[in-house]
């Protein structure tokens, strides 16, 4: 017997449960399917456990710096990795249980555990069970990409999923990949006491950012004793008597790095390869991401894709915004578009990096008449008082329209202070709104007026 619903949601990341809540409140019957852990990447292997680890690592770092603040701590600082992991994992468990309790108690919602596969544009099979609905929402997320590096099948390796479960500090962690995930874990485990080497194939770290950001991030990490090897064109692996040999470069420097543990952090791939998309006729691109239009609809009527699997944003907040767009259009009579989204995000090293809108390079390449203002964090009272003056702030504006095009903060509180600019951009306000603001002292945000006044044509 085929059970009928008004809507089927596959996956319980940031978009799925919230969409189920809106649909059921509107009187619709909804089936929510999850094959593994409720909450998706953010709750289980991403934002929540990693930021809990970041907090523990920061506590260790601050304890070691106690004397800088006139605080004396007797003896060496030690790390109880089992307790660190337990604390991080409890954060995950609490969030996962809350989400699952919410779904199971939701009126008109049927929660189904199992691996869902599309049988047609409106039919889904979960094991021996078949269900149908005129609307299907795919929120299946992604996982770590494992490139076909030479020797990768001959050695053990960690991903973001397994490294958050470690109960020991690696002697020497080799992080392959110099972007957001890799750099966060590199600093975390360096602060826990591991020797850390970051191996990046490209010429610089966080290559999607401006060069001044990449350079500053590298200096911050190297100042903590992290070794960075960029231009690693010969990444390869082989077992070694002392752990794992990672091939780094064919032309200069030591050709290999010997590590006790290896973390692969070289990108993500969508969980779409075993979803039965072909049976429903849903199109994907060459990387497996589901193709969607500006409303997040696929090429098949009645099927939408939200979150990481659609390739339109790789962050928890973009997945949640996908839900908001779909719900607004289907239930509220609105006409919201993904292309209207102003993207902001953060890199949670310490100090953190917050960014919104265009980079300086992107703004230059756009052909616009731009203004750029920069200031070092050593000019920010809050940073000086905290003894955390690394990094800088930058803002980019259109000289003709006076609209803000983008901004970056690499510095203490940058992940929070960037929201002042994000709000201005969403409101369509000119940069004068920041210039004439009266910010609280001492905060990171108080530098915005001065930063606006410093803007010049590059």
């Amino acid at each position: 017997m085929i059970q009928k619903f008004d809507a089927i949601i596959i996956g319980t990341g940031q978009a799925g449960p919230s969409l189920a809540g809106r649909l059921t409140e509107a009187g619709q019957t909804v089936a929510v399917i999850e094959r593994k852990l409720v909450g998706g990447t953010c709750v289980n292997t991403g934002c929540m456990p990693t930021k809990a680890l970041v907090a523990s690592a920061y506590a260790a770092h601050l304890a070691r710096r106690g004397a800088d603040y006139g605080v004396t701590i007797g003896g060496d600082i030690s790390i109880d990795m089992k307790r660190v992991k337990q604390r991080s994992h409890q954060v995950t468990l609490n969030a996962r249980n809350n989400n699952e309790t919410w779904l199971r108690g939701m009126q008109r919602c049927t929660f189904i555990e199992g691996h869902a596969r599309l049988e047609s544009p409106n039919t889904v099979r979960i094991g021996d069970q078949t269900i149908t609905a005129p609307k299907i929402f795919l929120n299946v997320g992604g996982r770590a990409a494992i490139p076909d590096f030479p020797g990768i099948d001959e050695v053990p390796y960690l991903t973001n999923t397994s490294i958050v479960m470690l109960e020991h500090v690696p002697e020497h962690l080799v992080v392959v990949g110099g972007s957001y995930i890799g750099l966060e874990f590199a600093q975390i485990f360096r602060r826990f006491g591991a020797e850390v080497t970051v191996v990046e194939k490209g010429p610089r770290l966080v290559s999607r950012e401006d060069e001044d950001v990449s350079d500053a991030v590298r200096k911050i990490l190297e100042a903590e004793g992290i070794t960075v090897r960029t231009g690693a064109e010969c990444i390869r692996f082989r077992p070694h008597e002392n752990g794992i040999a990672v091939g780094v470069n064919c032309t200069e420097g030591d050709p290999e790095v010997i590590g006790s543990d290896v973390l692969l952090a070289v990108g993500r791939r969508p969980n779409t390869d075993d979803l039965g998309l072909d049976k429903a006729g849903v199109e994907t691109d060459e990387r497996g991401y589901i193709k969607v239009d500006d409303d997040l609809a696929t090429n098949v009527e009645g099927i939408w894709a939200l979150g990481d699997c659609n390739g339109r944003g790789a962050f928890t907040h973009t997945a949640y915004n996908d839900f908001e767009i779909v719900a607004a259009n289907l239930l509220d009579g609105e006409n919201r578009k993904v292309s209207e989204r102003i993207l902001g995000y953060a890199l949670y090293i310490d100090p953190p990096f917050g960014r919104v809108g265009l980079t300086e390079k992107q703004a230059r390449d756009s052909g616009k008449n731009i203004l750029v203002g920069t200031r070092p964090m050593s000019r920010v009272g809050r940073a000086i008082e905290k003894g955390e003056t690394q990094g800088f702030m930058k803002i980019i504006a259109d000289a003709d329209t006076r609209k803000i095009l983008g901004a970056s903060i690499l510095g203490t509180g940058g992940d929070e202070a960037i929201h002042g600019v994000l709000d201005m951009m969403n409101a369509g306000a000119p940069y004068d709104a920041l210039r004439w603001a009266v910010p609280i002292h001492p905060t990171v945000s108080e530098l915005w007026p001065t930063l606006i006044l410093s803007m010049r044509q590059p």
Side-chain angles (χ1 to χ4, degrees):
M1 178 178 174
I2 299 178
Q3 191 172 3
K4 296 181 179 180
F5 295 89
D6 294 317
I8 296 171
I9 299 172
I10 303 176
T12 58
Q14 293 304 297
S18 296
L19 181 58
R22 283 297 315 272
L23 293 172
T24 54
E25 285 175 2
Q28 299 185 28
T29 57
V30 179
V32 177
I33 308 164
E34 175 55 59
R35 69 174 176 177
K36 195 171 183 181
L37 301 174
V38 171
T41 297
C42 176
V43 167
N44 295 288
T45 60
C47 317
M48 303 196 78
T50 59
K51 278 49 185 181
L53 292 175
V54 166
S56 292
Y58 180 71
H61 177 67
L62 203 59
R64 294 188 185 99
R65 290 191 59 207
D68 294 346
Y69 302 91
V71 177
T72 302
I73 299 174
D76 295 331
I77 302 300
S78 61
I79 304 296
D80 184 341
M81 198 60 200
K82 288 187 177 181
R83 289 188 64 186
V84 168
K85 179 260 179 178
Q86 182 182 26
R87 175 183 176 276
S88 170
H89 192 51
Q90 193 60 53
V91 169
T92 286
L93 288 178
N94 291 344
R96 184 195 303 161
N97 291 339
N98 288 340
N99 276 326
E100 187 166 343
T101 299
W102 176 39
L103 282 172
R104 290 187 183 278
M106 193 179 291
Q107 291 186 357
R108 292 180 289 278
C109 177
T110 301
F111 180 71
I112 303 172
E113 296 180 86
H115 188 156
R117 291 182 174 87
L118 296 171
E119 293 277 297
S120 75
N122 55 22
T123 305
V124 176
R125 178 177 293 276
I126 313 99
D128 296 329
Q129 183 179 3
T130 301
I131 61 177
T132 185
K135 298 187 293 291
I136 296 177
F137 303 93
L138 308 175
N139 180 219
V140 295
R143 62 189 186 275
I146 310 299
D148 190 22
F149 290 125
I152 190 64
D153 295 330
E154 301 173 19
V155 298
Y157 57 82
L158 299 162
T159 67
N160 69 292
T161 298
S162 53
I163 197 169
V164 297
M165 301 302 290
L166 281 187
E167 293 189 343
H168 71 278
V169 177
E171 181 179 343
H172 182 182
L173 177 65
V174 180
V175 178
V176 180
S179 195
Y180 307 91
I181 294 173
L183 297 187
E184 289 177 11
F185 281 116
Q187 188 182 57
I188 287 169
F189 281 93
R190 177 59 186 157
R191 290 182 168 187
F192 287 159
E195 181 182 354
V196 176
T197 300
V198 175
V199 176
E200 167 56 40
K201 183 177 181 180
R204 56 190 179 91
L205 301 179
V206 284
S207 59
R208 70 185 290 176
E209 307 302 338
D210 287 325
E211 288 192 29
D212 53 359
V213 172
S214 295
D215 293 342
V217 167
R218 181 167 185 160
K219 289 176 182 177
I220 288 168
L221 297 178
E222 288 181 333
E224 294 194 24
I226 295 172
T227 300
V228 177
R229 296 289 300 272
T230 50
E233 294 291 343
C234 296
I235 298 176
R236 60 196 182 280
F237 302 88
R238 67 178 180 86
H240 188 276
E241 60 183 357
N242 295 322
I244 303 165
V246 182
V248 178
N249 204 311
C250 300
T251 58
E252 61 182 35
D254 293 336
E256 287 186 328
V257 174
I258 311 302
S260 60
D261 299 80
V262 168
L263 168 65
L264 292 184
V266 290
R268 307 281 290 172
R269 60 175 296 186
N271 293 326
T272 58
D273 47 327
D274 56 357
L275 193 55
L277 296 178
D278 55 332
K279 290 187 176 182
V282 176
E283 294 180 354
T284 61
D285 65 15
E286 65 279 0
R287 297 178 299 163
Y289 289 99
I290 299 171
K291 294 181 180 181
V292 294
D293 63 15
D294 222 9
D295 301 320
L296 298 166
T298 70
N299 64 298
V300 177
E301 186 176 357
I303 300 181
W304 291 259
L306 302 84
D308 291 1
C309 67
N310 66 25
R312 301 295 292 269
F315 305 99
T316 291
H317 47 285
T318 56
Y320 187 82
N321 184 241
D322 284 355
F323 141 68
E324 293 178 311
I325 290 171
V326 169
N329 293 346
L330 289 180
L331 301 174
D332 303 329
E334 297 185 21
N335 186 29
R336 295 180 59 178
K337 307 292 184 183
V338 177
S339 58
E340 297 170 349
R341 179 159 65 203
I342 297 174
L343 183 60
Y345 56 85
L347 165 64
Y348 290 97
I349 59 168
D350 174 40
F353 172 64
R355 188 165 81 75
V356 61
L358 301 181
T359 64
E360 182 179 345
K361 182 180 184 304
Q362 289 170 335
R364 289 174 184 264
D365 292 346
S366 72
K368 297 178 186 293
N369 181 21
I370 66 170
L371 300 171
V372 179
T374 60
R375 280 291 185 271
M377 292 300 291
S378 58
R379 297 275 297 274
V380 179
R382 183 65 174 271
I384 294 169
E385 292 146 10
K386 292 182 69 178
E388 299 176 355
T389 56
Q390 296 170 300
F392 65 94
M393 303 172 70
K394 176 163 58 174
I395 191 164
I396 305 131
D398 188 314
D400 299 321
T401 66
R402 306 181 77 82
K403 294 294 180 66
I404 301 169
L405 299 176
S408 301
I409 310 178
L410 175 60
T412 183
D415 53 329
E416 294 287 352
I418 197 68
H419 284 85
V421 182
L422 177 60
D423 291 343
M424 290 291 101
M425 292 178 68
N426 274 303
Y431 60 71
D432 305 271
L434 276 177
R435 178 183 176 184
W436 300 118
V438 183
I440 297 169
H441 172 79
T443 62
V444 175
S445 297
E446 70 179 317
L447 196 65
W448 287 121
T450 304
L451 198 59
I452 294 296
L453 288 171
S454 76
M455 289 196 302
R456 299 289 184 273
Q457 290 185 323

